[in-house]
Amino acid sequence: MSLEALSFDEYKPYITEELIERGHARRMGHLQDYFAIIQRQKLYNNFNIYCELNEKVNKVQLSHAFREMFLQYPALIEYIVPKFYPKHEAYYRSEEYLSKPCPIHDYIRVLNEVNINDIIMNEQDEYKSITTKISDIFVKNDYKFSNEISEMVSTIKIAICDPKKPNWRIICLPSKTSSTEWKDFILVSNHFDSDGTSAVNFFEDLTNILSKQANVENDTIVIGNDINIINYSKDYKLISKLPIPITERISYTPTLSSIPKFIVGNICKTKLQYTSDGGDTPAEFVSEDPLTYDYLINFSSEEVAKMKKTIKNCLYNSVTLTPFIQACFFVAMYKYNKILNLNNWWQWGVDCALATNARRLLPDDPETRDLYRYGSNVGGTHYFNLISQFNINEFEYDKFFKLVDYYHKNYQNSYRNGDELVGFGVLFSDLIINNTNMDKTIKDDYTNHKRGGLLFSNVGYRNEDLTKKVHVNNIIFSQSPGCMKFTFGLNLISTDKCGMNILMNGVRGSVKSRENFEDFCRFFRKTVENFAKL
């Protein structure tokens, strides 16, 4: 018997040596444990992505497409096996656990069985009330996604340790012409082993498979209103192995030269950054009410093309939309004159956290990269942005684009130097892991603090093949900050068909009112239009 097998008495009967040998169970990596912590300590709810397809599909089609995806990417059907299940929640929040380091992480494993109704949230009793409300709003809004839907979805919680269901669900939104076919979906994930790139990949894989499907009506296992997708005892030979943690493929260990800059940045964020007057981060994110006001902005494909042309003409080809939008947001924040307290001598800057895709640092090998198509495979940059830089008037284009260029070069330097991994790297260092309780460390860092700053998530630009039988018409990404210390959120995703969707968040209590926040969002849009010369 292996040493690994000897260590899992606390996880029986859910973990066996046989599962480990097959590659269908293993210990979590450091990054996976981080996302487990923000759930088990109730610090975060979900991120979600709305997708409209060009054609309606039914349960049978979805089931067959999901089966193909699950067999190839078992991260989609994994769950966490905690100590002392099902009494684990009290244990992970007890003084017994929180008072000592726990450097050895829990296990993950693939589910024993997956049915279609385990995935469709509308069919699950605990979510019936909220999915009904969301569906009613969707119909009332002429079958269109809305701010109100985004806010409601942000309250949904999905357990990370459920041995019968995966860590994500889909909401099937009503169709005008059918009660058994849908073209509008919301993918909801608790963020454990899934990120924004995973969510986009999900719909890319789904539409690719649906487009190639032949008649699948006679090749299903129907159980009443349900359809079996995976039965582990029969399918285990077909299921790929779980990939090793990305932290074992990519070194998150910070260089010695990066540590001083990291420390100085943390001091600035703690002592000298803008914070909101109200809406401190709670001790737990347990409210059933929406945390944020949400506001959706769309720039058409033609407008996005003009933006890119303006950036190219004013700077150079390699500058992306990310630093441009960031600069627009901060200039709007300054000029709106109802957010920043410009008379506060202790507020010198605004923190901006940008989520990054760590997959780009994997070896340049298609098979290896494909292993990490799904998962929370992320890094992030934190910059302390000086408020004095934001004072740019409407037609000061030269001054504005110098700021865009500055942000662009900061990001490029971060990518070259590995700065995007430093925050997690420090957190995952042996010194921290072996001498502190990570749940307590992260919980203390998240909770009971003043909010301030911007959480910026740009999932990127995707070309959609409109010749496919089933393809994406529209896609919108969003997340609520939970107990993370941000007042605002910018969630971007772009395609060649729907243009650029920006879902903006403002934390209630940290912004004065819905009217005030929506007025600021309109002002931000005008700022983008001005500097993009739309």
Side-chain angles (χ1 to χ4, degrees):
M1 183 178 288
S2 68
L3 290 175
E4 178 73 7
L6 288 171
S7 67
F8 56 67
D9 284 351
E10 295 159 318
Y11 300 93
K12 291 179 178 177
Y14 301 98
I15 300 297
T16 65
E17 187 172 17
E18 187 176 51
L19 277 169
I20 293 169
E21 289 174 349
R22 290 173 179 170
H24 295 152
R26 63 163 173 80
R27 296 278 186 183
M28 288 190 288
H30 293 324
L31 195 57
Q32 290 171 316
D33 188 60
Y34 168 82
F35 286 103
I37 289 169
I38 65 172
Q39 287 295 328
R40 65 186 178 227
Q41 296 302 327
K42 300 184 179 180
L43 304 175
Y44 181 88
N45 271 3
N46 70 66
F47 74 81
N48 54 86
I49 191 163
Y50 161 77
C51 182
E52 177 197 351
L53 304 182
N54 66 310
E55 285 196 2
K56 294 188 291 292
V57 294
N58 59 40
K59 272 188 180 182
V60 175
Q61 292 171 289
L62 290 172
S63 298
H64 280 262
F66 288 155
R67 176 173 172 81
E68 188 172 330
M69 292 163 66
F70 297 167
L71 293 177
Q72 185 171 358
Y73 303 109
L76 288 167
I77 54 169
E78 69 186 12
Y79 72 100
I80 298 174
V81 179
K83 293 187 181 81
F84 314 124
Y85 183 85
K87 299 180 180 179
H88 56 289
E89 288 195 14
Y91 169 70
Y92 289 112
R93 297 164 67 75
S94 69
E95 185 62 25
E96 173 194 358
Y97 172 71
L98 295 172
S99 63
K100 62 182 185 296
C102 296
I104 300 175
H105 304 316
D106 286 334
Y107 282 91
I108 54 172
R109 61 153 293 176
V110 299
L111 292 159
N112 274 326
E113 189 171 33
V114 185
N115 297 327
I116 190 65
N117 287 349
D118 296 330
I119 293 168
I120 296 178
M121 190 174 278
N122 313 58
E123 302 289 345
Q124 297 166 13
D125 290 341
E126 66 269 37
Y127 299 112
K128 184 71 74 175
S129 175
I130 191 164
T131 55
T132 299
K133 289 177 183 176
I134 289 167
S135 296
D136 289 346
I137 295 167
F138 186 70
V139 173
K140 185 178 178 181
N141 199 43
D142 194 26
Y143 299 87
K144 292 183 177 64
F145 186 82
S146 66
N147 301 328
E148 189 177 1
I149 290 174
S150 176
E151 291 170 13
M152 290 195 70
V153 173
S154 72
T155 67
I156 294 172
K157 303 172 183 67
I158 299 173
I160 56 174
C161 302
D162 189 337
K164 295 184 178 179
K165 295 183 180 68
N167 284 287
W168 55 276
R169 306 285 196 278
I170 57 170
I171 301 173
C172 299
L173 296 170
S175 163
K176 286 184 179 181
T177 58
S178 174
S179 61
T180 58
E181 293 182 309
W182 315 275
K183 67 179 182 67
D184 296 273
F185 302 92
I186 303 174
L187 172 67
V188 186
S189 170
N190 58 26
H191 216 330
F192 177 73
D193 239 10
S194 181
D195 56 19
T197 299
S198 297
V200 175
N201 289 342
F202 176 90
F203 284 109
E204 184 176 296
D205 288 344
L206 180 64
T207 53
N208 285 342
I209 297 168
L210 289 170
S211 294
K212 293 182 287 189
Q213 274 185 354
N215 181 9
V216 295
E217 295 292 339
N218 298 320
D219 185 22
T220 58
I221 300 174
V222 180
I223 312 165
N225 187 40
D226 212 345
I227 299 171
N228 183 252
I229 301 173
I230 295 290
N231 184 319
Y232 184 78
S233 63
K234 297 178 182 178
D235 294 325
Y236 70 88
K237 291 182 180 179
L238 303 174
I239 299 173
S240 300
K241 293 182 179 182
L242 292 167
I244 64 173
I246 197 168
T247 45
E248 294 179 24
R249 295 271 190 186
I250 297 171
S251 175
Y252 277 68
T253 304
T255 61
L256 289 176
S257 62
S258 68
I259 299 296
K261 183 167 61 175
F262 175 76
I263 293 172
V264 170
N266 268 349
I267 293 171
C268 290
K269 284 186 293 181
T270 303
K271 303 296 184 183
L272 298 173
Q273 90 140 329
Y274 143 80
T275 55
S276 305
D277 292 335
D280 295 3
T281 56
E284 295 176 348
F285 186 35
V286 295
S287 174
E288 298 300 321
D289 298 318
L291 175 72
T292 59
Y293 301 118
D294 291 359
Y295 190 88
L296 177 63
I297 295 173
N298 172 261
F299 290 97
S300 69
S301 299
E302 294 76 18
E303 289 173 319
V304 173
K306 288 179 183 177
M307 272 186 221
K308 291 179 177 178
K309 185 176 181 180
T310 300
I311 295 169
K312 176 183 174 181
N313 290 342
C314 294
L315 292 171
Y316 39 90
N317 285 346
S318 63
V319 180
T320 66
L321 287 171
T322 297
F324 174 80
I325 294 295
Q326 178 184 332
C328 287
F329 181 84
F330 286 142
V331 171
M333 193 181 194
Y334 188 99
K335 290 298 178 181
Y336 186 64
N337 203 30
K338 297 178 184 177
I339 297 172
L340 298 172
N341 182 355
L342 301 177
N343 296 317
N344 188 326
W345 290 98
W346 293 107
Q347 293 189 3
W348 289 17
V350 179
D351 178 32
C352 178
L354 176 73
T356 60
N357 182 2
R359 295 169 181 85
R360 68 179 190 83
L361 299 170
L362 288 165
D364 191 15
D365 171 64
E367 289 186 11
T368 301
R369 287 177 173 261
D370 190 62
L371 291 172
Y372 298 91
R373 190 164 172 79
Y374 293 92
S376 282
N377 300 318
V378 298
T381 60
H382 265 282
Y383 282 111
F384 184 73
N385 301 272
L386 292 174
I387 290 172
S388 58
Q389 297 173 326
F390 308 159
N391 186 12
I392 299 173
N393 293 320
E394 187 177 1
F395 299 113
E396 292 183 301
Y397 293 109
D398 288 346
K399 188 176 179 182
F400 173 81
F401 279 102
K402 283 180 182 177
L403 183 62
V404 175
D405 190 33
Y406 173 70
Y407 290 155
H408 170 72
K409 287 174 179 173
N410 275 345
Y411 288 137
Q412 293 303 304
N413 289 334
S414 169
Y415 298 151
R416 278 193 296 269
N417 301 335
D419 293 349
E420 61 189 302
L421 305 182
V422 171
F424 280 131
V426 170
L427 196 61
F428 302 154
S429 66
D430 290 343
L431 180 66
I432 302 294
I433 293 282
N434 293 327
N435 293 285
T436 63
N437 180 279
M438 292 301 295
D439 287 60
K440 186 176 188 306
T441 297
I442 292 170
K443 187 176 176 68
D444 289 348
D445 184 57
Y446 269 46
T447 58
N448 299 313
H449 294 287
K450 288 285 186 184
R451 289 190 183 272
L454 171 67
L455 179 59
F456 193 2
S457 299
N458 187 354
V459 180
Y461 178 82
R462 295 292 180 117
N463 287 311
E464 185 63 25
D465 182 359
L466 303 183
T467 65
K468 290 191 305 186
K469 180 184 176 185
V470 182
H471 58 258
V472 172
N473 271 345
N474 196 15
I475 193 163
I476 300 166
F477 176 76
S478 181
Q479 68 174 327
S480 179
C483 289
M484 290 184 283
K485 297 174 285 189
F486 301 100
T487 297
F488 298 102
L490 281 180
N491 306 283
L492 275 68
I493 189 167
S494 307
T495 73
D496 49 348
K497 179 166 185 177
C498 67
M500 179 169 61
N501 285 317
I502 306 177
L503 200 291
M504 299 180 67
N505 314 118
V507 174
R508 302 183 185 206
S510 295
V511 296
K512 293 179 181 178
S513 65
R514 180 183 295 279
E515 292 73 23
N516 174 258
F517 176 66
E518 291 186 353
D519 189 44
F520 169 64
C521 292
R522 288 187 287 268
F523 187 81
F524 164 71
R525 182 188 177 103
K526 288 179 181 177
T527 303
V528 174
E529 290 172 344
N530 171 62
F531 288 112
K533 301 181 181 179
L534 297 182

